[in-house]
Amino acid sequence: MTVIKLVETVAEQNWVYYSYSGHRGQLRDVMQNVNLTGKFLFVINAFSFNIKGEPDTLVDVYPEIFEYQQYAADNNLHFIVGIEMCNEAPRYESELEYLINYIKEKCNLTNNDIINMSGAHYFDNPDIKHAHVTSIIGNDKILENNSYNSVPRHHFVSLARMAKSHRVAATEQILNRGLDKYGYCSCGSGYYTNPAENMFDYLPETLRNRLPLYIDGEIVGSDQNQYNKTHDAMTYAFANIVMETAFDAEFSYYLFNNVTWHLPFSTEKTMKSFAWGQVPIFITVPNHDIWLRNMGFDLFDDIVDQSYNRESNPKLRITKAIDELQKICEKPIEYWAEYKNNNITRFENNRILAEKMINGRSFYSANNLQKVLDTM
């Protein structure tokens, strides 16, 4: 049996955080704005181990969890376990069910004692409480040394550091339609620790020979340049093909499938388009636009038919999204420069809202968590 030992890395009066290798994350920034009166929150960093829950893996947070549970009982506090995946978007059945059921059984808890804390717009198990954490929407570097009002010189930019299957499929359509002459694409231009993560060997040779595509060079690991508007290709683009992290689980490109998350999930990739004064076209799971609309972002429905977000077939959804890009490319860039000038207030409002959300991401996360806690 594999035993993963989690250790206490952050602790306050009414909450504690257990993780692996001393990970701290953004939890303290969130929790300092949360009222835990009458409650004790025991938070586990689920990304510290194999969240898919192999049967021979034991999450060893005991006896500590029992000690905190007893402390909560002695002080008449509701003991709640938080599953922390602030920068990720796991599903219940395929990724968290094993862990949640294991903890419920060991600690004699119910669903009403569990909170999933993740970057997903919602959780796919309505019986488990979910708090949407917005820390993944970006950092201050997205806003540095740039503005929303650059006059566009080309039709689009498409940024895909990691060559995930849906990004490769969309990039191939851009290349095969000859749309790359209207803008700039990166694809497979970086990796976390090893170039093999891009899995180019799984691609057909005709496409393998065209990748990787670079705009501002290679971006490796946690290089902060991945958040910056570092190149004219980004500065002067009218539209942004948002190659999001999440995509449909069943989608594969040839033998190529390395998508991590499958729930709607707005990361810094989405926020860049608003902060940089660009029209977004999303390559991601269905209904990605709903949360953005609810938050007040303008998706420029007068020029982009965002109904592709409702398409259930993932391959067809990519095609419909690139159809919208092609419509933009069919008009001269001068047309879109004039459009942006005539609608500059809309681009400005998106920038203002993006700034507000990025700068206040801990507040938004705390507010979401508080709303859930208040129902428990």
Side-chain angles (χ1 to χ4, degrees):
M1 174 178 288
T2 301
V3 178
I4 305 298
K5 177 64 176 177
L6 304 187
V7 297
E8 182 180 304
T9 54
V10 185
E12 298 291 346
Q13 182 177 357
N14 277 36
W15 66 274
V16 66
Y17 181 49
Y18 270 70
S19 69
Y20 185 58
S21 300
H23 175 74
R24 292 179 179 272
Q26 300 84 27
L27 194 63
R28 187 188 292 275
D29 292 338
V30 174
M31 294 304 300
Q32 67 183 1
N33 294 304
V34 174
N35 179 3
L36 283 172
T37 300
K39 300 176 177 67
F40 187 93
L41 186 60
F42 187 99
V43 185
I44 296 173
N45 173 24
F47 205 57
S48 295
F49 53 91
N50 182 1
I51 64 167
K52 294 186 182 299
E54 297 299 331
D56 62 347
T57 300
L58 171 65
V59 184
D60 182 20
V61 294
Y62 314 104
E64 292 93 335
I65 194 169
F66 294 125
E67 294 172 358
Y68 279 109
Q69 191 174 18
Q70 186 61 51
Y71 170 85
D74 292 343
N75 289 274
N76 198 29
L77 302 174
H78 181 184
F79 184 76
I80 299 168
V81 173
I83 309 299
E84 187 272 314
M85 292 286 281
C86 290
N87 291 342
E88 315 297 341
R91 296 183 300 179
Y92 174 74
E93 184 174 349
S94 58
E95 288 142 359
L96 290 180
E97 182 178 17
Y98 173 85
L99 170 64
I100 290 174
N101 286 340
Y102 182 78
I103 292 173
K104 284 165 55 180
E105 177 185 353
K106 291 292 182 181
C107 298
N108 194 28
L109 300 176
T110 70
N111 285 344
N112 196 50
D113 304 314
I114 308 291
I115 299 180
N116 176 57
M117 305 161 62
S118 82
H121 295 173
Y122 62 83
F123 198 39
D124 57 343
N125 183 340
D127 296 326
I128 302 290
K129 305 284 187 179
H130 173 65
H132 179 200
V133 183
T134 60
S135 56
I136 193 62
I137 63 174
N139 60 38
D140 299 344
K141 291 190 176 297
I142 292 176
L143 306 170
E144 290 179 357
N145 302 316
N146 62 70
S147 67
Y148 64 90
N149 57 5
S150 300
V151 178
R153 298 178 185 173
H154 47 270
H155 291 75
F156 74 94
V157 65
S158 174
L159 302 174
R161 181 172 75 115
M162 291 293 297
K164 296 182 181 293
S165 52
H166 59 296
R167 298 172 182 171
V168 173
T171 301
E172 183 187 43
Q173 286 212 30
I174 291 172
L175 296 176
N176 287 347
R177 298 191 198 195
L179 301 180
D180 51 314
K181 63 177 173 286
Y182 297 102
Y184 296 86
C185 299
S186 67
C187 189
S189 58
Y191 49 89
Y192 294 106
T193 59
N194 190 319
E197 293 166 17
N198 282 303
M199 300 173 69
F200 292 137
D201 289 345
Y202 285 84
L203 301 178
E205 186 174 355
T206 53
L207 184 57
R208 194 189 319 156
N209 292 339
R210 305 179 74 174
L211 298 179
L213 297 174
Y214 296 99
I215 290 178
D216 56 344
E218 192 172 60
I219 306 294
V220 177
S222 59
D223 187 340
Q224 294 297 293
N225 282 331
Q226 64 185 292
Y227 304 110
N228 291 337
K229 197 178 187 182
T230 58
H231 194 280
D232 285 356
M234 306 172 202
T235 300
Y236 297 108
F238 176 70
N240 190 315
I241 311 308
V242 180
M243 300 285 194
E244 261 299 354
T245 300
F247 206 70
D248 306 52
E250 69 273 17
F251 179 78
S252 63
Y253 181 78
Y254 293 89
L255 300 176
F256 183 63
N257 185 322
N258 64 340
V259 181
T260 309
W261 308 125
H262 313 293
L263 294 177
F265 183 41
S266 292
T267 72
E268 83 286 346
K269 302 167 188 64
T270 288
M271 211 54 54
K272 284 176 182 177
S273 64
F274 301 124
W276 296 352
Q278 295 162 345
V279 173
I281 296 174
F282 304 109
I283 307 298
T284 188
V285 295
N287 301 320
H288 181 77
D289 61 320
I290 293 176
W291 178 75
L292 298 169
R293 294 181 190 278
N294 289 340
M295 295 305 298
F297 286 106
D298 188 336
L299 302 185
F300 301 95
D301 296 288
D302 52 324
I303 59 173
V304 176
D305 182 359
Q306 295 282 0
S307 67
Y308 64 83
N309 283 284
R310 242 52 73 214
E311 176 57 57
S312 60
N313 182 305
K315 182 177 180 180
L316 185 55
R317 189 181 327 118
I318 291 175
T319 297
K320 288 183 175 181
I322 303 304
D323 286 346
E324 295 305 307
L325 171 62
Q326 184 163 343
K327 283 167 35 181
I328 287 175
C329 292
E330 287 171 351
K331 288 185 168 59
I333 193 60
E334 292 79 12
Y335 177 92
W336 296 119
E338 183 178 3
Y339 173 91
K340 186 170 183 179
N341 180 64
N342 292 339
N343 292 273
I344 196 63
T345 301
R346 298 166 66 185
F347 291 91
E348 180 183 18
N349 289 341
N350 275 353
R351 166 75 180 209
I352 291 171
L353 182 54
E355 288 182 350
K356 180 180 178 182
M357 295 201 66
I358 291 171
N359 292 332
R361 54 195 182 274
S362 294
F363 170 79
Y364 281 102
S365 300
N367 188 52
N368 292 340
L369 179 56
Q370 189 70 61
K371 289 179 180 177
V372 175
L373 287 167
D374 289 346
T375 69
M376 301 178 73

